[in-house]
Amino acid sequence: MSPESWKDQLSLVSADDYRIMGRNRIPNAVTKLSGLETDDGDGGNDPNGGAWVTKPKRIVVSNQLPLRAHRDISSNKWCFEFDNDSLYLQLKDGFPPETEVVYVGSLNADVLPSEQEDVSQYLLEKFQCVPTFLPSDLLSKYYHGFCKHYLWPIFHYLLPMTQAQGSLFDRSNWRAYTTVNKIFADKIFEVLNPDDDYVWIHDYHLMILPTFLRNRFHRIKLGIFLHSPFPSSEIYRTLPVRDEILKGFLNCDLVGFHTFDYARHFLSCCSRMLGLDYESKRGYIGLEYFGRTVSIKILPVGIHMGQIESIKASEETAEKVKGLRERFKGNIVMLGVDDLDMFKGISLKFWAMGQLLEQNEELRGKVVLVQITNPARSSGKDVQDVEKQINLIADEINSKFGRPGGYKPIVFVNGPVSTLDKVAYYAISECVVVNAVRDGMNLVPYKYTVTRQGSPALDAALGFGEDDVRKSVIIVSEFIGCSPSLSGAIRVNPWNIDAVTDAMSSAMTMSDKEKNLRHQKHHKYISSHNVAYWARSYDQDLQRACKDHFNKRFWGVGFGLFFKVVALDPNFRRLCAETIVPAYRRTSSRLILLDYDGTMMDQDTLDKRPSDDLISLLNRLCDDPNNLVFIVSGRGKDPLSKWFDSCPNLGISAEHGYFTRWNSNSPWETSELPADLSWKKIAKPVMNHYMEATDGSFIEEKESAMVWHHQEADHSFGSWQAKELLDHLESVLTNEPVVVKRGQHIVEVKPQGVSKGKVVEYLIATMRNTKGKRPDFLLCIGDDRSDEDMFDSIVKHQDVSSIGLAEVFACTVGQKPSKAKYYLDDTPSVIKMLEWLASASDGSKHEQQQKQSKFTFQQPMGQCRNESIDL
């Protein structure tokens, strides 16, 4: 008996029966279904015969709760109300009716420690909110230090080369980020029913939170949506904690992005840094991650139509519109609404405005750019520099093109500005300019378009008649998330001042008919893809991504932020000595099939020749007369026969079974398939072309097959070229008797009908015909896709009555989805297991020698007792 290692016992924990009871837990809503019974006794039944069925909650987790808080001066008590502008509150409209929604996040208020317990209880009861109170020093390091001044610039493509350009990586700020994410996890546990509830995390503030949640509850239903851009791999890989953050995303079931570009960058990072490839099936993109499929969702968020429509219908809004209309009477208004930060491109917009007036004298005194600036979300030198710069540019342009009557081409409206006031500005603006150099989404064009659709109150305030058409013009940067969905907008490169100037000029001169066509196109999309549509679509995909959770066994592997779960078939388990050794000892006709690369030889080893210890181990197994041991490999017969020349009783099946040799003294047998290899003349030039075009790749030419290897090439480029080569070869070899397959870092062309699965069938049939009996013990070990053919063959023929196998052990290397029933962790585990079997053979041989060295004699006087004397 070989005990498990202490490391495995610590890092591999099943979650099948892992449950905890959190304090202050919110009970799930229940529904009584009459006529149903539960199978857990009377505890789940109503006395009148009905059964209580729980309804899953939606737990929405964000950096800040969707609440406004202030302290009443007279009573000195806290007052709270929902923030109707908060996306996290608005998304509730997309959930099924009567769904219970719980919010977890921080309060934008400094609540004293002595008040926190009462405030928590009040918010839980009245608002279904769970606050995470963060000490001020921790909050400063977490939010201002790590999130806003380090992560946020990098995710917007700005690398901090010096301290003046942004915060450099600070380990203490990272520890604060980790601590806050852990605090959020503990708060979620207080309200979570892990078997039923769905957890939806939002944005870059909480990217490692999924790891803490998955560590505690392996089957948690978990999604995250990133509202910021995700940078390209060249930018992202500069993060010292890049793996920890990526693995946080991968501990979710669903990862959401606004655009395909952001998702593509994420997938590229997973490929380059973690070696993960993605697949698209029936419109869904998924990453296979240790037996789990991490789904990718691409859908831009929408706006809350009801909120805008309600504001448009307000008389207060109409009055403000009248005032603004009078203020800007005779002017064409262009509008900008931006946060005060370095990425919104406000200075570039101002320069374009100045150039527009410089080039078009007739527009001076007529065109006004109203710039609403929302307050900065953090403080720092970067914000001060941006504010100083835009004020200088605005003053310069206003002094140059302003007029004595009060005309200023650039009008600042400093925030905070209410949503109602913004709607009033939208209503009077002929064009909106969103000129950010990088932005995750930006909903200003959406809100502008819906406002310009009008309402009876707005139409009256604006003096619209029945014959007036709805019109709007959007100038949008191509570097923001809403750009792909606005197909009728004028897209610009914000860095190209000339292009932005031309776009402004085009907006001024565009015909009303053209403006109306663009407006109607945008309004149709925006009104149908609102925030409820976005939330509903995400929620449905999250349910789909989690539907198989209870059909698999989940095992926790690793420590800290490198924790992950491995999802396995319920019958998939580790191959241990207690299982295989007794079966080995009680059988007498054994067939052992071993893959070589990745199974007995580590893939990362440069010298692929077997060691002396491995040769000795194989000889011990082969010397057992009850064993037939075969190496089944995709390698050519020449290197295999050379490497294993000192194993006289070892069988070899080379090139996936095209060549077979029973021992070193027997000749090589060739597959019975036709030996037409003329297809090589077609395949070789194609492979040569890709080899020359892909640095680090090479071609391996076997007698029956050709293989293009790209393990030494750039990971992403090699994978890309492999996909192209696969398609190219399949196209040119359509009429040839070959199959083209993609494996681990390879693309292989081989004859049809040749596979490792055929080897299994051939060897079993030969043993039956030559020895008169089938094997009663079959061990088959492999690590890659070609070995799955062996496992598949075993599964299809495992009926004992058909092939007579009493003991079958199909075993893959590594915990991953497989048709095998067993797994071993790695190559050393395979060698260790073979040592167990070799020791069992040595023990049997020793017992047989002992029996042969005994003699039996008969007692005198005719007694019949036999005595065995050990010599």
Side-chain angles (χ1 to χ4, degrees):
M1 176 178 177
S2 177
E4 303 278 328
S5 70
W6 63 271
K7 181 178 179 182
D8 288 336
Q9 291 187 30
L10 283 176
S11 64
L12 194 62
V13 181
S14 175
D16 289 339
D17 300 312
Y18 187 30
R19 301 287 184 271
I20 69 163
M21 292 298 294
R23 51 195 175 88
N24 298 330
R25 183 182 302 280
I26 296 178
N28 282 37
V30 293
T31 300
K32 181 182 175 185
L33 300 180
S34 60
L36 297 181
E37 295 182 358
T38 60
D39 58 0
D40 55 352
D42 296 330
N45 289 335
D46 180 77
N48 297 321
W52 296 102
V53 179
T54 62
K55 287 185 176 181
K57 297 191 298 290
R58 303 299 190 272
I59 301 176
V60 177
V61 189
S62 57
N63 179 51
Q64 287 197 352
L65 290 170
L67 294 174
R68 292 194 179 104
H70 70 275
R71 191 185 289 274
D72 183 72
I73 298 176
S74 58
S75 64
N76 199 34
K77 292 184 179 180
W78 284 104
C79 299
F80 302 94
E81 62 179 347
F82 276 121
D83 181 3
N84 292 324
D85 293 332
S86 173
L87 169 69
Y88 310 124
L89 180 66
Q90 295 171 354
L91 62 80
K92 183 178 181 180
D93 290 355
F95 295 146
E98 300 181 2
T99 298
E100 182 182 6
V101 181
V102 178
Y103 300 95
V104 178
S106 298
L107 271 175
N108 190 19
D110 189 11
V111 180
L112 297 174
S114 59
E115 302 173 307
Q116 289 177 4
E117 186 174 349
D118 290 339
V119 168
S120 295
Q121 191 65 32
Y122 178 79
L123 293 180
L124 184 60
E125 292 175 357
K126 300 296 183 180
F127 296 93
Q128 289 288 88
C129 289
V130 180
T132 57
F133 299 108
L134 305 177
S136 58
D137 56 338
L138 181 64
L139 176 63
S140 178
K141 287 185 174 182
Y142 152 73
Y143 185 76
H144 299 289
F146 195 75
C147 289
K148 292 303 292 184
H149 288 151
Y150 182 70
L151 268 185
W152 188 71
I154 288 179
F155 273 53
H156 288 74
Y157 289 72
L158 179 64
L159 291 176
M161 304 300 293
T162 66
Q163 194 71 40
Q165 293 176 311
S167 298
L168 300 175
F169 179 78
D170 187 315
R171 184 64 63 176
S172 65
N173 290 344
W174 165 246
R175 283 196 291 268
Y177 184 84
T178 304
T179 300
V180 170
N181 276 248
K182 181 65 171 64
I183 291 173
F184 270 76
D186 292 337
K187 286 296 180 181
I188 293 169
F189 294 147
E190 293 181 5
V191 296
L192 175 69
N193 180 343
D195 290 341
D196 297 320
D197 296 343
Y198 292 87
V199 181
W200 187 359
I201 301 169
H202 290 270
D203 224 359
Y204 66 97
H205 312 88
L206 302 169
M207 293 185 294
I208 59 174
L209 174 59
T211 298
F212 294 116
L213 299 178
R214 186 71 65 186
N215 195 338
R216 187 72 166 270
F217 295 110
H218 298 351
R219 284 195 177 91
I220 188 172
K221 301 168 183 178
L222 185 58
I224 188 171
F225 198 98
L226 186 67
H227 294 273
S228 76
F230 195 95
S232 67
S233 60
E234 286 75 16
I235 299 291
Y236 180 83
R237 69 199 306 178
T238 63
L239 281 170
V241 289
R242 61 191 189 185
D243 287 355
E244 291 91 326
I245 292 175
L246 271 187
K247 290 177 180 179
F249 279 104
L250 293 172
N251 273 317
C252 293
D253 298 295
L254 182 65
V255 180
F257 300 95
H258 287 304
T259 73
F260 175 70
D261 278 347
Y262 304 160
R264 177 169 54 86
H265 293 157
F266 172 74
L267 294 170
S268 175
C269 289
C270 291
S271 174
R272 285 179 173 272
M273 296 165 209
L274 302 178
L276 303 176
D277 291 325
Y278 70 92
E279 290 184 346
S280 181
K281 295 180 179 178
R282 296 183 178 179
Y284 295 104
I285 300 175
L287 279 164
E288 288 298 323
Y289 187 60
F290 292 91
R292 295 171 48 245
T293 298
V294 181
S295 298
I296 306 299
K297 177 72 173 178
I298 303 168
L299 184 66
V301 69
I303 63 172
H304 194 284
M305 294 290 295
Q307 181 193 30
I308 303 297
E309 295 292 345
S310 175
I311 294 174
K312 288 195 307 180
S314 166
E315 286 299 327
E316 183 181 358
T317 306
E319 289 300 317
K320 286 190 176 292
V321 169
K322 290 178 183 178
L324 291 175
R325 187 185 177 198
E326 183 64 28
R327 177 183 175 185
F328 294 104
K329 187 176 182 179
N331 294 133
I332 301 173
V333 178
M334 292 192 296
L335 179 66
V337 182
D338 301 283
D339 293 344
L340 186 61
D341 67 56
M342 69 183 86
F343 296 109
K344 293 303 185 285
I346 300 175
S347 60
L348 299 174
K349 187 191 307 182
F350 286 0
W351 276 326
M353 179 64 179
Q355 186 167 300
L356 175 72
L357 298 177
E358 186 74 44
Q359 296 175 355
N360 300 273
E361 187 175 350
E362 71 278 6
L363 294 178
R364 298 172 190 174
K366 294 183 178 179
V367 177
V368 175
L369 174 61
V370 177
Q371 178 61 54
I372 297 175
T373 53
N374 302 317
R377 300 187 186 184
S378 67
S379 58
K381 186 176 181 298
D382 56 333
V383 175
Q384 296 170 5
D385 290 344
V386 169
E387 188 172 16
K388 181 179 178 180
Q389 183 185 38
I390 62 176
N391 283 326
L392 285 173
I393 298 171
D395 290 343
E396 179 183 341
I397 294 173
N398 285 338
S399 63
K400 185 175 182 179
F401 299 107
R403 294 186 176 179
Y407 167 75
K408 291 183 179 180
I410 296 179
V411 177
F412 265 119
V413 181
N414 292 317
V417 178
S418 69
T419 303
L420 187 147
D421 287 340
K422 289 177 182 176
V423 167
Y425 277 102
Y426 293 144
I428 67 161
S429 301
E430 194 71 17
C431 170
V432 71
V433 185
V434 184
N435 204 49
V437 297
R438 189 73 61 178
D439 205 354
M441 183 58 195
N442 202 312
L443 296 174
V444 168
Y446 286 19
K447 295 175 181 177
Y448 166 72
T449 300
V450 174
T451 301
R452 294 286 289 181
Q453 185 66 14
S455 70
L458 286 185
D459 291 349
L462 292 168
F464 273 15
E466 295 181 0
D467 297 332
D468 291 325
V469 296
R470 307 298 178 184
K471 56 185 180 178
S472 62
V473 181
I474 299 171
I475 299 173
V476 64
S477 164
E478 61 190 57
F479 300 118
I480 64 178
C482 66
S483 177
S485 62
L486 298 172
S487 56
I490 304 174
R491 295 194 182 99
V492 294
N493 175 1
W495 299 102
N496 187 341
I497 304 300
D498 292 337
V500 180
T501 300
D502 291 342
M504 289 179 172
S505 178
S506 177
M508 298 300 101
T509 59
M510 188 181 296
S511 68
D512 286 351
K513 182 178 180 181
E514 179 69 16
K515 291 178 181 179
N516 174 256
L517 290 174
R518 292 172 183 259
H519 170 80
Q520 297 299 339
K521 187 174 188 179
H522 291 155
H523 188 265
K524 181 179 179 181
Y525 173 84
I526 294 167
S527 59
S528 60
H529 291 72
N530 57 18
V531 67
Y533 173 86
W534 171 75
R536 180 166 55 253
S537 179
Y538 187 93
D539 187 61
Q540 290 170 350
D541 278 7
L542 180 58
Q543 293 181 55
R544 178 190 55 80
C546 301
K547 63 183 176 64
D548 291 331
H549 275 196
F550 289 92
N551 295 332
K552 295 182 179 180
R553 299 181 67 191
F554 285 72
W555 299 87
V557 179
F559 297 96
L561 296 179
F562 292 96
F563 174 86
K564 57 182 172 288
V565 296
V566 179
L568 307 173
D569 185 272
N571 297 320
F572 190 64
R573 58 185 184 272
R574 188 195 301 271
L575 184 57
C576 57
E578 292 84 352
T579 302
I580 192 171
V581 172
Y584 183 86
R585 283 175 172 160
R586 63 175 171 260
T587 51
S588 59
S589 180
R590 311 183 192 108
L591 177 59
I592 300 174
L593 307 177
L594 306 171
D595 174 47
Y596 185 65
D597 293 280
T599 301
M600 292 190 297
M601 178 58 61
D602 196 287
Q603 288 280 15
D604 297 330
T605 303
L606 295 179
D607 186 0
K608 298 297 185 180
R609 294 174 298 178
S611 64
D612 293 339
D613 290 340
L614 180 56
I615 293 293
S616 174
L617 174 60
L618 291 173
N619 277 327
R620 288 167 61 194
L621 289 170
C622 293
D623 288 344
D624 189 327
N626 296 325
N627 290 347
L628 177 60
V629 184
F630 259 80
I631 297 289
V632 184
S633 173
R635 284 188 175 271
K637 62 184 179 66
D638 292 337
L640 290 175
S641 58
K642 180 180 178 181
W643 291 346
F644 295 101
D645 185 59
S646 53
C647 295
N649 295 325
L650 178 68
I652 298 175
S653 186
E655 299 188 18
H656 300 296
Y658 191 82
F659 296 103
T660 301
R661 188 185 74 180
W662 291 84
N663 54 58
S664 60
N665 296 322
S666 64
W668 285 99
E669 301 175 6
T670 306
S671 171
E672 298 179 356
L673 296 170
D676 180 11
L677 302 178
S678 60
W679 56 266
K680 286 189 175 185
K681 296 179 182 179
I682 304 173
K684 190 170 184 178
V686 176
M687 284 189 168
N688 277 330
H689 170 72
Y690 282 83
M691 181 184 69
E692 293 168 0
T694 312
D695 188 35
S697 67
F698 63 93
I699 297 173
E700 177 189 3
E701 187 168 357
K702 307 173 185 178
E703 291 188 43
S704 69
M706 294 186 69
V707 187
W708 183 76
H709 296 261
H710 63 91
Q711 62 263 36
E712 301 299 328
D714 175 87
H715 187 277
S716 294
F717 185 54
S719 298
W720 183 17
Q721 290 289 75
K723 292 177 183 177
E724 292 296 318
L725 176 59
L726 182 70
D727 291 340
H728 198 159
L729 289 172
E730 286 179 339
S731 175
V732 299
L733 298 173
T734 300
N735 298 321
E736 301 296 328
V738 296
V739 292
V740 185
K741 283 194 173 183
R742 189 179 174 195
Q744 191 170 9
H745 304 303
I746 66 165
V747 175
E748 183 174 23
V749 185
K750 61 182 181 180
Q752 290 178 350
V754 175
S755 72
K756 292 186 178 182
K758 297 293 184 182
V759 174
V760 175
E761 298 173 5
Y762 170 68
L763 295 179
I764 292 175
T766 303
M767 288 182 68
R768 180 182 58 200
N769 295 335
T770 56
K771 295 185 177 182
K773 63 176 181 178
R774 305 176 181 89
D776 53 11
F777 176 96
L778 173 59
L779 171 63
C780 178
I781 310 178
D783 76 303
D784 65 13
R785 296 179 186 178
S786 64
D787 300 307
E788 292 295 318
D789 291 336
M790 287 197 289
F791 305 147
D792 188 42
S793 179
I794 291 171
V795 169
K796 289 179 179 178
H797 299 86
Q798 201 168 344
D799 183 5
V800 175
S801 62
S802 63
I803 63 174
L805 299 181
E807 305 287 352
V808 177
F809 299 92
C811 179
T812 188
V813 180
Q815 301 176 27
K816 57 180 183 288
S818 173
K819 295 174 182 176
K821 187 177 179 180
Y822 299 93
Y823 73 91
L824 290 167
D825 288 322
D826 46 29
T827 296
S829 300
V830 174
I831 301 301
K832 184 177 180 181
M833 189 275 299
L834 294 177
E835 287 279 2
W836 297 338
L837 302 187
S839 297
S841 286
D842 295 341
S844 299
K845 188 186 301 182
H846 179 66
E847 291 175 4
Q848 188 175 3
Q849 289 174 349
Q850 284 185 324
K851 290 180 181 179
Q852 291 175 354
S853 64
K854 296 175 183 179
F855 67 90
T856 302
F857 67 95
Q858 188 144 11
Q859 288 280 359
M861 305 206 38
Q863 296 185 16
C864 298
R865 185 168 62 89
N866 292 336
E867 294 285 352
S868 297
I869 307 297
D870 291 336
L871 296 179

